[in-house]
Amino acid sequence: MKFISQISVCFFLLVQVSYGQEQDSVSLTVEPYTASEIPAQLVALDQLVDEVQVAHLPTDQYQLIVDSLGVFQDTLNRVIQEIDSIAPDVPLQILEIQKNRIGQFYIPLKNWNSYLVDRTEEFESLYDEIDQAILKWGTTLEDVSKEEASEVIVAEITVRLDSLEQAEEAMRLHASEIIGYEVQINQMNQQIDEVVERLNENLDSRIWAKDSAPLWSLEADTLADNYGINQLRGILMANKKSVEEYYHLYRPSFYLHFFVFLAILGAFIKIRFDSRKYQQYQDLGFLYHALSRPVLSALLTSLIFSIWIYSNEPQVIKEAAGILALISVIGIFYGYVHPAFRIPLVALGFIYLFNYLQSVLPVGTFFQRSWMGIESMVM
């Protein structure tokens, strides 16, 4: 087996060497630009230089991430210290609350890391363009240098290539900084993972303990209401902060979604007014009914299109979009379905709302347990 593995390694190295030689031979056969192509390609080279010079400049979103990481790290360390100082025999509800509390730190880290990864991918695509441009223009420079009266062209190409290489070097330095921040974010994610794992182990080891009251008990072992209010306020503030950070990072996506909504709304209103002039449009049934509610129909359609507009959005935005879509669907279907199905349709919407509020309320508080009881009776 050892002999076979050695043969396999040797064969792999031979393949890599042959592939590298093939790549080198391909690179040597790059055709230079012709004299008629050089003026237009010099303009394209100037555009590439400008693009690379702009790419390595810190954006507002990047600066926001850099400024926030230090404060975020200090806050995370303080919360971890508070969780580690909790006695191991505290009620299970407090452990659940602390688990939800530390879990809120995942949201901004995910948004920041997603933005930095996107920036890194942009740099990688520019690296390929730069390598191809340098290779192509290097071959062209060698070819032009052989001709007479080409000093001006050689000087123009040389100046642009020097600018491109300097811009590439600056971009690579900026990329290395981004990688450093990505590493820092991954380290904070690991810190959170370790805390969550410790809390889960404590919960698993005590879930059947005799002194641990079940979650559905309403009187015994219930946390104070002001504690639940403070926790709920903390959850709402964390969601508000995650939305604001996502808005600053992806502000054009919000503008695009609003523009799409207005465009669809205008189109639906126009179609609605035009359809009143022709009797045959009323035979379309549900489509004609949906156009009679252009705002709800446009909202639902724009939310469907938002799947391709947003990326890596926080959970609170996904939940808000789901609630808006549900309201739109109920509003559209309410006047179309048979009256006997209208109450069940609204009831389904309330059930979804009950479940959502149940997931938002802090675990272990009297209000959360009471809500759980109300939800159980309704369902």
Side-chain angles (χ1 to χ4, degrees), residues 35-52:
S36 60
E37 294 176 336
I38 287 178
Q41 294 300 325
L42 281 176
V43 175
L45 182 59
D46 288 334
Q47 294 176 351
L48 179 60
V49 172
D50 294 339
E51 185 178 359
V52 176

PDB file of all heavy atoms in Angstrom, residues 35-52:
ATOM      1  N   ALA A  35      -1.350  47.642 -34.011  1.00  0.00           N
ATOM      2  CA  ALA A  35      -1.216  49.109 -33.974  1.00  0.00           C
ATOM      3  C   ALA A  35      -2.575  49.795 -34.009  1.00  0.00           C
ATOM      4  O   ALA A  35      -2.772  50.837 -33.368  1.00  0.00           O
ATOM      5  CB  ALA A  35      -0.357  49.574 -35.146  1.00  0.00           C
ATOM      6  N   SER A  36      -3.534  49.208 -34.721  1.00  0.00           N
ATOM      7  CA  SER A  36      -4.862  49.817 -34.787  1.00  0.00           C
ATOM      8  C   SER A  36      -5.659  49.606 -33.502  1.00  0.00           C
ATOM      9  O   SER A  36      -6.572  50.382 -33.198  1.00  0.00           O
ATOM     10  CB  SER A  36      -5.635  49.238 -35.974  1.00  0.00           C
ATOM     11  OG  SER A  36      -5.771  47.828 -35.839  1.00  0.00           O
ATOM     12  N   GLU A  37      -5.331  48.564 -32.723  1.00  0.00           N
ATOM     13  CA  GLU A  37      -6.054  48.267 -31.486  1.00  0.00           C
ATOM     14  C   GLU A  37      -5.513  49.044 -30.286  1.00  0.00           C
ATOM     15  O   GLU A  37      -6.211  49.222 -29.289  1.00  0.00           O
ATOM     16  CB  GLU A  37      -5.989  46.775 -31.173  1.00  0.00           C
ATOM     17  CG  GLU A  37      -6.706  45.885 -32.173  1.00  0.00           C
ATOM     18  CD  GLU A  37      -6.513  44.416 -31.862  1.00  0.00           C
ATOM     19  OE1 GLU A  37      -5.506  44.080 -31.196  1.00  0.00           O
ATOM     20  OE2 GLU A  37      -7.356  43.610 -32.287  1.00  0.00           O
ATOM     21  N   ILE A  38      -4.266  49.490 -30.362  1.00  0.00           N
ATOM     22  CA  ILE A  38      -3.603  50.083 -29.201  1.00  0.00           C
ATOM     23  C   ILE A  38      -4.337  51.313 -28.666  1.00  0.00           C
ATOM     24  O   ILE A  38      -4.550  51.428 -27.447  1.00  0.00           O
ATOM     25  CB  ILE A  38      -2.130  50.397 -29.535  1.00  0.00           C
ATOM     26  CG1 ILE A  38      -1.321  49.091 -29.598  1.00  0.00           C
ATOM     27  CG2 ILE A  38      -1.530  51.338 -28.490  1.00  0.00           C
ATOM     28  CD1 ILE A  38       0.134  49.289 -29.964  1.00  0.00           C
ATOM     29  N   PRO A  39      -4.766  52.279 -29.481  1.00  0.00           N
ATOM     30  CA  PRO A  39      -5.442  53.469 -28.916  1.00  0.00           C
ATOM     31  C   PRO A  39      -6.685  53.121 -28.103  1.00  0.00           C
ATOM     32  O   PRO A  39      -6.869  53.641 -26.993  1.00  0.00           O
ATOM     33  CB  PRO A  39      -5.791  54.293 -30.170  1.00  0.00           C
ATOM     34  CG  PRO A  39      -4.790  53.878 -31.182  1.00  0.00           C
ATOM     35  CD  PRO A  39      -4.550  52.417 -30.952  1.00  0.00           C
ATOM     36  N   ALA A  40      -7.541  52.244 -28.643  1.00  0.00           N
ATOM     37  CA  ALA A  40      -8.759  51.885 -27.909  1.00  0.00           C
ATOM     38  C   ALA A  40      -8.428  51.078 -26.658  1.00  0.00           C
ATOM     39  O   ALA A  40      -9.055  51.261 -25.598  1.00  0.00           O
ATOM     40  CB  ALA A  40      -9.704  51.093 -28.812  1.00  0.00           C
ATOM     41  N   GLN A  41      -7.449  50.197 -26.743  1.00  0.00           N
ATOM     42  CA  GLN A  41      -7.077  49.382 -25.582  1.00  0.00           C
ATOM     43  C   GLN A  41      -6.384  50.203 -24.503  1.00  0.00           C
ATOM     44  O   GLN A  41      -6.453  49.872 -23.328  1.00  0.00           O
ATOM     45  CB  GLN A  41      -6.172  48.221 -26.025  1.00  0.00           C
ATOM     46  CG  GLN A  41      -6.854  47.205 -26.928  1.00  0.00           C
ATOM     47  CD  GLN A  41      -8.049  46.566 -26.247  1.00  0.00           C
ATOM     48  OE1 GLN A  41      -8.034  46.351 -25.033  1.00  0.00           O
ATOM     49  NE2 GLN A  41      -9.074  46.253 -27.024  1.00  0.00           N
ATOM     50  N   LEU A  42      -5.710  51.290 -24.899  1.00  0.00           N
ATOM     51  CA  LEU A  42      -5.124  52.185 -23.892  1.00  0.00           C
ATOM     52  C   LEU A  42      -6.222  52.855 -23.064  1.00  0.00           C
ATOM     53  O   LEU A  42      -6.068  53.049 -21.854  1.00  0.00           O
ATOM     54  CB  LEU A  42      -4.258  53.248 -24.578  1.00  0.00           C
ATOM     55  CG  LEU A  42      -2.858  52.814 -25.026  1.00  0.00           C
ATOM     56  CD1 LEU A  42      -2.170  53.929 -25.774  1.00  0.00           C
ATOM     57  CD2 LEU A  42      -2.013  52.372 -23.833  1.00  0.00           C
ATOM     58  N   VAL A  43      -7.322  53.206 -23.721  1.00  0.00           N
ATOM     59  CA  VAL A  43      -8.459  53.764 -22.982  1.00  0.00           C
ATOM     60  C   VAL A  43      -9.021  52.738 -22.005  1.00  0.00           C
ATOM     61  O   VAL A  43      -9.332  53.046 -20.841  1.00  0.00           O
ATOM     62  CB  VAL A  43      -9.549  54.246 -23.966  1.00  0.00           C
ATOM     63  CG1 VAL A  43     -10.782  54.713 -23.195  1.00  0.00           C
ATOM     64  CG2 VAL A  43      -9.020  55.346 -24.864  1.00  0.00           C
ATOM     65  N   ALA A  44      -9.142  51.484 -22.459  1.00  0.00           N
ATOM     66  CA  ALA A  44      -9.624  50.416 -21.566  1.00  0.00           C
ATOM     67  C   ALA A  44      -8.654  50.190 -20.420  1.00  0.00           C
ATOM     68  O   ALA A  44      -9.068  49.921 -19.280  1.00  0.00           O
ATOM     69  CB  ALA A  44      -9.820  49.133 -22.363  1.00  0.00           C
ATOM     70  N   LEU A  45      -7.341  50.321 -20.693  1.00  0.00           N
ATOM     71  CA  LEU A  45      -6.348  50.167 -19.631  1.00  0.00           C
ATOM     72  C   LEU A  45      -6.470  51.285 -18.608  1.00  0.00           C
ATOM     73  O   LEU A  45      -6.340  51.055 -17.393  1.00  0.00           O
ATOM     74  CB  LEU A  45      -4.944  50.135 -20.241  1.00  0.00           C
ATOM     75  CG  LEU A  45      -3.783  49.925 -19.259  1.00  0.00           C
ATOM     76  CD1 LEU A  45      -3.938  48.609 -18.502  1.00  0.00           C
ATOM     77  CD2 LEU A  45      -2.445  49.966 -19.996  1.00  0.00           C
ATOM     78  N   ASP A  46      -6.725  52.501 -19.077  1.00  0.00           N
ATOM     79  CA  ASP A  46      -6.941  53.616 -18.146  1.00  0.00           C
ATOM     80  C   ASP A  46      -8.153  53.354 -17.250  1.00  0.00           C
ATOM     81  O   ASP A  46      -8.130  53.646 -16.045  1.00  0.00           O
ATOM     82  CB  ASP A  46      -7.146  54.919 -18.923  1.00  0.00           C
ATOM     83  CG  ASP A  46      -5.860  55.423 -19.564  1.00  0.00           C
ATOM     84  OD1 ASP A  46      -4.787  55.089 -19.036  1.00  0.00           O
ATOM     85  OD2 ASP A  46      -5.936  56.129 -20.584  1.00  0.00           O
ATOM     86  N   GLN A  47      -9.207  52.803 -17.819  1.00  0.00           N
ATOM     87  CA  GLN A  47     -10.398  52.485 -17.031  1.00  0.00           C
ATOM     88  C   GLN A  47     -10.095  51.425 -15.981  1.00  0.00           C
ATOM     89  O   GLN A  47     -10.579  51.506 -14.847  1.00  0.00           O
ATOM     90  CB  GLN A  47     -11.518  52.026 -17.960  1.00  0.00           C
ATOM     91  CG  GLN A  47     -12.030  53.106 -18.902  1.00  0.00           C
ATOM     92  CD  GLN A  47     -13.068  52.591 -19.881  1.00  0.00           C
ATOM     93  OE1 GLN A  47     -13.306  51.382 -19.973  1.00  0.00           O
ATOM     94  NE2 GLN A  47     -13.685  53.493 -20.632  1.00  0.00           N
ATOM     95  N   LEU A  48      -9.291  50.433 -16.360  1.00  0.00           N
ATOM     96  CA  LEU A  48      -8.916  49.393 -15.396  1.00  0.00           C
ATOM     97  C   LEU A  48      -8.081  49.975 -14.266  1.00  0.00           C
ATOM     98  O   LEU A  48      -8.275  49.629 -13.091  1.00  0.00           O
ATOM     99  CB  LEU A  48      -8.150  48.275 -16.111  1.00  0.00           C
ATOM    100  CG  LEU A  48      -7.657  47.118 -15.232  1.00  0.00           C
ATOM    101  CD1 LEU A  48      -8.828  46.422 -14.542  1.00  0.00           C
ATOM    102  CD2 LEU A  48      -6.845  46.114 -16.050  1.00  0.00           C
ATOM    103  N   VAL A  49      -7.142  50.876 -14.607  1.00  0.00           N
ATOM    104  CA  VAL A  49      -6.318  51.520 -13.573  1.00  0.00           C
ATOM    105  C   VAL A  49      -7.195  52.313 -12.609  1.00  0.00           C
ATOM    106  O   VAL A  49      -7.031  52.240 -11.388  1.00  0.00           O
ATOM    107  CB  VAL A  49      -5.251  52.417 -14.224  1.00  0.00           C
ATOM    108  CG1 VAL A  49      -4.519  53.229 -13.155  1.00  0.00           C
ATOM    109  CG2 VAL A  49      -4.252  51.578 -15.010  1.00  0.00           C
ATOM    110  N   ASP A  50      -8.146  53.071 -13.157  1.00  0.00           N
ATOM    111  CA  ASP A  50      -9.056  53.844 -12.302  1.00  0.00           C
ATOM    112  C   ASP A  50      -9.887  52.924 -11.412  1.00  0.00           C
ATOM    113  O   ASP A  50     -10.110  53.218 -10.226  1.00  0.00           O
ATOM    114  CB  ASP A  50      -9.969  54.706 -13.169  1.00  0.00           C
ATOM    115  CG  ASP A  50      -9.215  55.793 -13.925  1.00  0.00           C
ATOM    116  OD1 ASP A  50      -8.098  56.130 -13.488  1.00  0.00           O
ATOM    117  OD2 ASP A  50      -9.737  56.273 -14.954  1.00  0.00           O
ATOM    118  N   GLU A  51     -10.356  51.817 -11.971  1.00  0.00           N
ATOM    119  CA  GLU A  51     -11.169  50.882 -11.189  1.00  0.00           C
ATOM    120  C   GLU A  51     -10.381  50.282 -10.040  1.00  0.00           C
ATOM    121  O   GLU A  51     -10.886  50.153  -8.915  1.00  0.00           O
ATOM    122  CB  GLU A  51     -11.699  49.783 -12.104  1.00  0.00           C
ATOM    123  CG  GLU A  51     -12.655  48.820 -11.417  1.00  0.00           C
ATOM    124  CD  GLU A  51     -13.193  47.763 -12.369  1.00  0.00           C
ATOM    125  OE1 GLU A  51     -12.826  47.788 -13.571  1.00  0.00           O
ATOM    126  OE2 GLU A  51     -13.964  46.893 -11.902  1.00  0.00           O
ATOM    127  N   VAL A  52      -9.131  49.928 -10.303  1.00  0.00           N
ATOM    128  CA  VAL A  52      -8.289  49.337  -9.251  1.00  0.00           C
ATOM    129  C   VAL A  52      -7.945  50.379  -8.195  1.00  0.00           C
ATOM    130  O   VAL A  52      -7.930  50.084  -6.994  1.00  0.00           O
ATOM    131  CB  VAL A  52      -7.016  48.728  -9.872  1.00  0.00           C
ATOM    132  CG1 VAL A  52      -6.085  48.209  -8.777  1.00  0.00           C
ATOM    133  CG2 VAL A  52      -7.373  47.600 -10.828  1.00  0.00           C
TER     134      VAL A  52
END
